Amino acid sequence: MIKRLALAAVLLLPATLHAQDVVKGSSNTAVQVEKPARDFVMLQVAYEGWKAPDSVKTTGFGRAFNAYICYDFPFSPKSNFSFAAGIGIGSSNVYLDDQQIILTDTIAKQARFIAETDNFKKYKLTTAYVEAPFELRFYGNQANRNKGFKAAAGLRVGTLVGAHTKSKDGDTKIVEKVNTKNFLESWRFATTLRLGWGNFSVFGAYNLTDLYKEGQGPKITPYQVGLCITGL
């Protein structure tokens, strides 16, 4: 009988302690503390445009997609500011308007944009970068960063890992793809700005470097405007 009572006391002890904690908690006024989101993940979809001379003609909706994994370093436990750094990929597709890019000029050794003569239905340049974003961040809601106003300004550093032109013939529907990074600038630097609420924001990015190396193509400066989703 004594053994049974002892066993019952052992089994009831955790529940009794938990009940005591609840009572103790209910008798005191406590501040609710939520683990702040660090915005580890950033996904961006955007329009990509070119600031370019009149000789370069684009058409349609240039598309860009960026995905980053970031780590956030708060300035202090009570600060609304933090610094973030990360790594990820950035890719874009820009369509030309009745033009094509000549990349086989061994005399001038530069990319040339000329009027297309092959009846292309579509012609685009695709680029892909491995990038590292750096941001100075502000959070309006210190307790829960998934809510409230957010702002971030920073710099994006990327290195070119792939590029190709792709054309589709309007009559035969033959698709021709040329993989080459020839004449393109190997590195890109861009300033960035994000403004939003909760997990959603709008962002802009403007390149500090041109698309082509100096003297090896027209002076083209890419920029992006789009939507960003952050979380975790």
Side-chain angles (χ1 to χ4, degrees):
M1 182 65 178
I2 295 176
K3 291 183 178 180
R4 292 182 180 178
L5 291 175
L7 180 60
V10 171
L11 294 176
L12 290 174
L13 181 60
T16 304
L17 293 176
H18 176 70
Q20 290 176 351
D21 290 340
V22 172
V23 173
K24 183 178 179 180
S26 62
S27 63
N28 297 324
T29 302
V31 178
Q32 184 179 5
V33 178
E34 299 183 45
K35 185 178 180 181
R38 293 293 183 89
D39 284 354
F40 288 126
V41 177
M42 283 202 306
L43 302 177
Q44 299 175 341
V45 290
Y47 164 78
E48 172 145 339
W50 286 352
K51 181 182 177 183
D54 294 337
S55 59
V56 176
K57 304 181 186 300
T58 60
T59 186
F61 191 87
R63 300 188 297 271
F65 175 75
N66 311 312
Y68 308 110
I69 299 294
C70 301
Y71 195 81
D72 188 83
F73 302 90
F75 286 176
S76 72
K78 296 182 179 181
S79 176
N80 291 71
F81 290 90
S82 67
F83 172 77
I87 192 71
I89 58 170
S91 62
S92 64
N93 298 279
V94 177
Y95 295 85
L96 299 186
D97 186 12
D98 295 327
Q99 284 190 318
Q100 65 185 100
I101 306 174
I102 301 300
L103 299 169
T104 56
D105 192 335
T106 56
I107 298 177
K109 294 183 179 180
Q110 63 178 341
R112 293 190 295 114
F113 286 64
I114 67 170
E116 63 94 358
T117 58
D118 298 321
N119 192 33
F120 292 142
K121 183 178 180 180
K122 291 181 180 180
Y123 190 96
K124 70 176 182 179
L125 172 65
T126 299
T127 54
Y129 296 82
V130 170
E131 293 188 313
F134 302 92
E135 289 187 329
L136 175 63
R137 294 173 169 180
F138 170 81
Y139 298 94
N141 189 326
Q142 190 181 49
N144 188 345
R145 297 179 187 178
N146 286 322
K147 300 177 182 178
F149 175 74
K150 289 181 180 180
L155 179 70
R156 203 166 63 187
V157 181
T159 182
L160 184 67
V161 293
H164 67 262
T165 60
K166 190 174 182 179
S167 60
K168 183 176 181 180
D169 190 283
D171 294 330
T172 63
K173 301 190 184 327
I174 294 176
V175 175
E176 182 178 353
K177 183 177 179 180
V178 178
N179 286 291
T180 179
K181 295 186 287 184
N182 211 14
F183 309 129
L184 290 167
E185 184 62 64
S186 300
W187 292 88
R188 75 171 178 181
F189 300 84
T191 57
T192 61
L193 179 66
R194 288 194 298 119
L195 298 171
W197 190 272
N199 299 112
F200 300 92
S201 58
V202 294
F203 84 96
Y206 188 84
N207 274 31
L208 301 175
T209 50
D210 293 331
L211 181 66
Y212 288 98
K213 296 176 182 177
E214 186 175 358
Q216 298 187 27
K219 186 176 177 59
I220 297 173
T221 306
Y223 60 89
Q224 296 178 356
V225 179
L227 299 174
C228 179
I229 300 175
T230 59
L232 301 181

